[in-house]
Structure formats: structure tokens, C-alpha cells
Amino acid sequence: MNTETSQSTDKAETVGKLRTELSVAKNLFFGEIVEENLFPYPQMRERDREMLGMMTDAIDRFLGDQAADLVEMDRIGEQPEEFIQALREMGLFGLIIGETHGGLELSNAAYARVLAQTSSHDSSVSLTIGAHSSIGMKGILLFGTEEQQARYLPSLASGETIAAFCLTEAGAGSDAAAVRCKATLQEDGSWLLNGEKIWITNGGIAGLYTVFARTDGPEGKLTAFIVEAGWEGVSHGPHEDKMGIRASSTTTVAFSDVRVPAENVLGEVGKGFKVAMAILNNGRTGLGGGAVGGMKALIKLATAQAKDRKQFDTPIAEFGLVREKIAQMAIDCFAAESTVWMVAHYIDSGCKDYSVEAAISKVFASDAIQRAAHEALQIAAGNGFMKEFPYEKITRDTRILSIFEGTNEILRLYIALSGMKDVGATLSDLKNAVGDIFNNPIKGFGVLSAYAERRFRASTGIGTDRIERELDPRLRAVAEVLERYTVELSKAADLLLRKHGKKITDYQYQQKRIADVTIDLYVGLCVLSRADHLLRSQDPEAEAAVQIAELFSKQARRRMVRNLRGIRHNEDATLDALAGRIIERGKYVWDVI
Ligand SMILES: Cc1cc2nc3c(=O)[nH]c(=O)nc-3n(C[C@H](O)[C@H](O)[C@H](O)COP(=O)(O)OP(=O)(O)OC[C@H]3O[C@@H](n4cnc5c(N)ncnc54)[C@H](O)[C@@H]3O)c2cc1C
């Protein structure tokens, strides 16, 4: 790869060969592939592998035996206390807490793998465990003082205390900064907390809440607090009656003149938004892992159904339109899995800038499992529609994944704008450099020549970033697609920024195209790396993995061509006008009578 990158490479720390300061996804916007952060495909730590072997078997035994009860929990919309107690006894609340505090100290990669296993049985179970670890108490792990960690982690590890994450309010969903819940500083240094949070996972069973509140006036900044459920003034509403993940507890949580001691501020006062985003970014691989586990279960169900069911005297597994669905489910699952565990590895290796990759893994995995649930139900057809079979529950359960922990729309905008921000900074550096040539010639010419080199590469394709690793010929063809469209992405970002400047934020249709190209490129690179690893390690299934890499890259290329062409030739204005018209009327205005 090229040595010049969007972020300072001199400072780049390394873990093995990993460049922990660099984001692979953001560098794609400069036409550059940070090869060191993609190859070789990361492997699970030996200690995690051993523990996972035992845990996945125990989970299968326990949840396998409970299959009928899990259906009943979905029907009544609740997990009984005895069931939660059994989850505690299996150590499922202490997965990522350090051994010194009584936890299992699994890596993020191993944690995501545990959630994959629980999700292959029931999503509500994953949510109870996941909301506790991924978001509920993650703030204490990431930002807690030693004293806070010593006070809370042991009971969080045993599950005696279950945690929940309280950000969303009636007026603050995607716009998390619009939180109105308020904490007022008291003379003795404590805080008085007032407000109501909605749709809080584990809200009804938690003993500890990570709460985000405004701390300096109505337009002030957010601060994170650790709030105990037992304190005076803390209450929660009844379980919400939901479409899916019905057994998982979702409630409102209200705070009425709750006195929070100064030592329960989490992180710095006024830095709550940063705390919330860090928790959500760090927790996204848990959701991705769950989605992969769910997809594996769907593939098992769909293949069994396709082999068993005969129509026209033929198992439906022999029909092309059924086989196409099964192949696509496998491609999607492999791609999601390769991406989720790559991102988990970044987190475990101390990478500093992985938020775009984490967003990509969440968007791709959550979209993929919804496609898989739709297609598996279609293969089961009438049976799939009946409550007697698991497909309708899985379809209901997976629907939430593109809504919470950042909607997929918001995350797509985030992916596009985060990447373009760095390109925009380079463009304004360029503008400044023209002035600097006279004031500070050395600095000015430095920026100019660096940028000119990039532009030259991008416009000519000469010096296109090439993955230097020696690849199997079939994987080389896959790599060429990714190399070529990485350059095309950088050209498209450059074009949009030159045309719209900061106003690019007003062009969401374009941002979506850029995000989708970035997703295809990053996921494609993860697939390539994994297939390369499987070939090198002579995995018995390596051939199929290479086929998947070839198929993914060809499908991705078609999508990328369409998206990139759409940047120049589109009907965005007409679509927007039509939407405006329909929204204004508030209905579909035509009829045939
Ligand atoms: C079952 C469940 C569990 C949950 N658990 C928790 C929890 O534990 N803790 C917690 O704090 N929250 C939780 N939430 C809340 C969840 O995170 C929010 O629902 C989510 O952030 C979206 O907010 P919203 O539902 O208010 O949608 P809105 O923000 O109102 O969005 C509505 C639609 O508009 C789109 N949209 C919004 N803004 C933009 C924009 N700028 N550009 C383009 N499109 C936009 C969205 O993508 C969406 O399609 C949970 C929600 C559910 C349903």
C-alpha cells in the first residue's frame, strides 16, 4: 500500500503489524488500503478458544433444553426470574469483566462469539446479556474510576446486579444530543437528577443504570451518571408489548429528584456525549455477533426444510430459486462474520479509530440477517408463516436490529460523512496551502505536492493502491475489484466535496451511495482476508470460501457501479419533489374509481 495516508503514519502505533492509529475505512476515501490492518485475518486467542469450546456447549445444552420455554417466554413477553438466575449461574453476565472483579475476561471477539451462540437459540436471551455487557455496564469498564470499578464490577460480573443503558427519551431518539433529562449540581457536590427515559432494555430488571443527562442548563452538555435502581426517586414502567424480542425487558425509567453522589459521575462532567458514543461504538460487535449466530441458525433451518419438503415429486432443495436463496444466505453470513470479527479484533488490539468499521459491521450484519430471515421464511412458505415453526419469531426478532444502537440510516450517514470529513480537511488544507505558499512556503508546498500526488493517482489510475500480499490467482481477481473501486470511491468523495463543500450534509441520497460503496469495499476486504487465511491454512472448506469471495466481489462490483454512476446521473431531485408532494397531501392521492 502507499505509505502516505490520511492520518499521521509517523505516530502510528503497532500491535504486531497492526497500525492502531489508522482507520481502514476512512483511508479508503483517499484511495488507500491499509493492508497491515486487514492481513493476515485475525485469529481467536488460545485462552478464548478453550473457554468458548466449553461455553458454547453449555449454552447449546441449556438453551436447547429450554426451546419450548423460550417460545412461551416470547408469547407472554417475559423471562422468569429462575431463567435469569440460570443465565447468572452460567457466568453470562460477567463475560467481559476482568478476572480480578470476578468476570471471565473474554476478549470482544470471544464475547461476540458467545452472543452468536445464544442468538442461534433466542434473540431475547442475547439482548438481556448484551444490553448488560455491550452498553449497560460498558461505560464502567471504559471510563470508570478504580473505585467505581471495585464498587460495581463484582456484582455486575455475577449478575446479581444487571445493567441498562439509558439514553433515549421521547424527544431524543436518533438525535441523542437532544436529551432533556437534567442533573443539577447541589452545594454538597451531589447532583439532583430528573427526567424520563424510554425503551430501555433491561429497564425492568436492572439494578444499575448508566444515565445520560444535561448538566449545565437546557442547552448544556451531557454528563453520564451511574445510578442505582434502589435509590429514592428511581422507578420504571411496565414491560412494553413489542413486535419482537418480546421476552427481553423494555421499559421506561424515570428519575424524580434522585440524588446522585459526585463519585457516581462516569467520565468527565460535560463529556457524556463522548462517553455514550464510545460505549455504542465499542458495543456494536456484540450486536453483529448475535446477527451472525442468528443467520447460522436460519441456514440450518432452511437447508433442513429444503431437503425434507417435496413438491412436484422433488425435494425443493433441487430447485434453482431455492438454491439461490441458500447460497445468498451463506454469502451474507460469511461476509458479516468476516467483518464482525475483524472489527472485534481492532477493539481487542487497542485500535483508536474503529467507529466507521464498527458502524459498517452493524449495518451489514443487521441488513443481512433480515434478508436471511425473509428468505428462510419464504423457503418454508406456508409453514414459515405458522407460529408452530420458528421462522416468524426470528423474522419479528431480527427487525429491531436496524433500529436500535443507531438506526441504519443514521449509521450510513455517519459512515459517509466521517470518511468525507478527512477528505474535506485535506481539501481545505489545500486551499490554505495556496495562501501558505507565500507565508510558509515549506508547509504550503508540502501539502500541495502530497495532494497533487493523490489526485494524479486517482485521475490516472497509475499507482492505484495494490494489495502487495501474494494472493491465489482467484483472490487476486477479487483484490483487483476492491483496489479499483477504492480509487473510484476516493474520486467520488472528492467530486462531491468539490461540488457541494460543507453542504454535502444536505445531500443524503449521495451520502447513502457513498456509504454503500464503502460498506461493499470494507466488507469485501474482510472477506478477501478471511478467504486468503483459509486457503493458506489448508482449511477443508477453503474452496467454498474462495467461491464466496469471488461471488461477493462480483455482486459488490455491480452494486458499486450502480451507486457510483448514480452520483453523476440520478433522479434525486424528482424523487425528492415527489416525496414532498405526497408528504404535503399526507396520502396517496390516486384511485381507479
Ligand atoms: C426494543 C428497543 C430497545 C431499545 N433499547 C434501548 C436502550 O437500552 N437504551 C436506549 O437508550 N435506547 C434504546 N432504544 C432506543 C433506540 O436506540 C431508538 O429507538 C433509536 O435510536 C431510534 O430512535 P427513534 O426510535 O426515536 O427514531 P427516530 O430518531 O425518530 O427516527 C425515525 C426515522 O427517521 C430516521 N431519521 C432520523 N433522523 C434522521 C436524519 N438526520 N437523517 C435521515 N434519517 C433520519 C431514522 O433512521 C428512522 O428511520 C431501544 C428501542 C427499542 C425499540
Side-chain angles (χ1 to χ4, degrees):
M1 69 150 264
N2 299 299
T3 48
E4 179 213 331
T5 53
S6 66
Q7 295 143 53
S8 166
T9 52
D10 308 339
K11 284 187 292 173
E13 292 170 25
T14 56
V15 169
K17 278 174 67 190
L18 200 73
R19 299 165 79 177
T20 56
E21 295 290 331
L22 297 184
S23 155
V24 176
K26 286 184 184 172
N27 274 283
L28 295 173
F29 284 77
F30 288 95
E32 293 164 1
I33 297 171
V34 183
E35 204 171 323
E36 297 90 327
N37 290 13
L38 290 160
F39 298 93
Y41 192 78
Q43 298 305 298
M44 195 73 78
R45 292 187 316 203
E46 202 45 52
R47 173 184 179 278
D48 287 337
R49 203 184 283 276
E50 279 166 22
M51 294 193 70
L52 281 172
M54 291 183 289
M55 292 202 75
T56 52
D57 286 348
I59 288 168
D60 281 347
R61 271 196 308 277
F62 174 64
L63 293 179
D65 285 350
Q66 302 265 329
D69 295 339
L70 291 168
V71 171
E72 180 58 9
M73 288 179 221
D74 173 67
R75 196 186 66 74
I76 61 170
E78 198 175 345
Q79 288 163 339
E81 173 51 31
E82 315 84 80
F83 180 76
I84 292 177
Q85 183 55 30
L87 300 181
R88 286 188 185 103
E89 284 162 16
M90 290 175 76
L92 292 173
F93 289 97
L95 296 171
I96 52 170
I97 296 177
E99 281 182 335
T100 46
H101 295 296
L104 294 175
E105 205 168 320
L106 294 185
S107 63
N108 279 281
Y111 166 69
R113 182 62 188 82
V114 172
L115 289 192
Q117 203 68 18
T118 51
S119 295
S120 68
H121 295 273
D122 181 63
S123 300
S124 288
V125 173
S126 297
L127 211 63
T128 303
I129 304 162
H132 168 83
S133 291
S134 295
I135 53 178
M137 58 85 178
K138 180 61 77 61
I140 301 182
L141 284 184
L142 295 179
F143 296 95
T145 60
E146 259 180 46
E147 186 277 324
Q148 287 169 340
Q149 295 192 346
R151 186 150 43 109
Y152 289 115
L153 289 182
S155 69
L156 288 164
S158 67
E160 184 193 327
T161 305
I162 293 175
F165 176 85
C166 301
L167 179 62
T168 304
E169 298 177 9
S174 298
D175 185 6
V179 158
R180 284 284 163 268
C181 197
K182 196 164 178 231
T184 315
L185 188 59
Q186 306 298 290
E187 277 184 2
D188 64 357
S190 68
W191 300 83
L192 207 60
L193 180 65
N194 279 290
E196 189 181 51
K197 300 289 180 177
I198 63 168
W199 302 331
I200 303 306
T201 305
N202 288 348
I205 57 172
L208 180 146
Y209 300 110
T210 298
V211 183
F212 298 86
R214 210 157 273 292
T215 36
D216 54 350
E219 301 311 319
K221 292 187 170 167
L222 294 189
T223 300
F225 296 93
I226 305 168
V227 178
E228 295 182 23
W231 289 347
E232 209 179 321
V234 181
S235 62
H236 66 80
H239 282 211
E240 301 287 353
D241 191 4
K242 306 190 294 286
M243 167 188 179
I245 48 160
R246 288 175 49 75
S248 141
S249 159
T250 312
T251 70
T252 55
V253 180
F255 308 98
S256 170
D257 283 340
V258 176
R259 197 167 279 274
V260 184
E263 59 269 23
N264 276 39
V265 169
L266 186 58
E268 284 174 55
V269 172
K271 296 280 166 64
F273 193 75
K274 194 179 132 215
V275 172
M277 294 307 121
I279 293 172
L280 289 169
N281 285 332
N282 193 284
R284 286 208 168 102
T285 49
L287 189 152
V292 169
M295 273 189 267
K296 288 187 179 178
L298 282 164
I299 291 171
K300 225 177 188 173
L301 283 167
T303 48
Q305 175 73 17
K307 284 197 267 192
D308 282 358
R309 175 70 175 164
K310 277 191 179 164
Q311 284 294 278
F312 308 98
D313 283 333
T314 314
I316 60 167
E318 289 183 23
F319 297 129
L321 295 189
V322 172
R323 299 171 81 85
E324 180 194 29
K325 295 185 204 314
I326 289 172
Q328 192 58 50
M329 286 161 81
I331 296 170
D332 275 350
C333 187
F334 186 90
E337 186 174 49
S338 305
T339 309
V340 167
W341 271 275
M342 183 72 87
V343 177
H345 170 67
Y346 294 159
I347 303 174
D348 290 329
S349 308
C351 282
K352 314 278 187 301
D353 191 0
Y354 57 82
S355 64
V356 176
E357 289 84 349
I360 290 172
S361 71
K362 191 270 190 182
V363 171
F364 186 85
S366 58
D367 282 350
I369 191 171
Q370 287 177 69
R371 287 194 292 272
H374 180 89
E375 296 293 43
L377 192 150
Q378 189 68 15
I379 290 172
N383 281 343
F385 202 68
M386 299 297 147
K387 276 198 173 283
E388 186 189 339
F389 292 85
Y391 304 93
E392 67 84 31
K393 174 175 176 292
I394 300 175
T395 302
R396 286 187 285 107
D397 283 348
T398 54
R399 188 61 187 85
I400 188 62
L401 296 177
S402 50
I403 296 174
F404 65 13
E405 294 196 23
T407 68
N408 284 11
E409 288 79 15
I410 293 291
L411 291 178
R412 280 194 161 86
L413 302 180
Y414 178 76
I415 292 163
L417 291 177
S418 303
M420 286 202 278
K421 192 171 137 218
D422 282 359
V423 179
T426 317
L427 286 175
S428 50
D429 278 357
L430 183 68
K431 224 179 181 176
N432 295 336
V434 176
D436 268 349
I437 285 172
F438 301 102
N439 304 329
N440 184 350
I442 294 175
K443 184 177 159 221
F445 281 120
V447 174
L448 265 183
S449 60
Y451 191 76
E453 190 201 319
R454 271 182 187 156
R455 285 289 300 157
F456 179 72
R457 268 207 317 271
S459 60
T460 59
I462 297 169
T464 294
D465 202 7
R466 197 178 149 87
I467 295 167
E468 283 170 7
R469 190 175 179 80
E470 204 175 303
L471 295 164
D472 179 273
R474 283 169 302 165
L475 292 181
R476 178 95 289 287
V478 170
E480 273 161 24
V481 170
L482 301 171
E483 289 161 356
R484 169 158 178 219
Y485 285 92
T486 298
V487 174
E488 295 301 322
L489 171 69
S490 74
K491 283 194 214 170
D494 186 277
L495 174 88
L496 285 171
L497 283 164
R498 282 168 186 276
K499 192 163 170 199
H500 302 298
K502 281 187 181 157
K503 285 206 175 324
I504 184 63
T505 51
D506 297 339
Y507 294 83
Q508 292 199 341
Y509 302 73
Q510 299 286 35
Q511 291 170 49
K512 179 168 183 275
R513 293 186 182 102
I514 290 285
D516 284 340
V517 173
T518 313
I519 293 169
D520 270 330
L521 286 173
Y522 182 70
V523 173
L525 286 164
C526 294
V527 167
L528 172 69
S529 168
R530 181 127 174 262
D532 173 61
H533 166 75
L534 292 170
L535 267 184
R536 280 168 202 266
S537 54
Q538 298 182 340
D539 185 279
E541 303 291 344
E543 278 301 309
V546 172
Q547 262 176 359
I548 287 181
E550 290 180 301
L551 286 163
F552 184 91
S553 75
K554 286 180 179 158
Q555 293 178 343
R557 190 174 65 80
R558 283 196 285 274
R559 288 189 294 263
M560 291 191 284
V561 165
R562 199 181 56 238
N563 277 315
L564 290 164
R565 192 169 185 283
I567 286 174
R568 287 177 190 272
H569 308 282
N570 59 61
E571 304 77 43
D572 296 354
T574 321
L575 265 177
D576 218 54
L578 175 64
R581 205 181 169 94
I582 305 290
I583 290 166
E584 194 189 319
R585 305 275 174 95
K587 62 177 185 181
Y588 177 85
V589 291
W590 298 276
D591 200 335
V592 288
I593 51 169

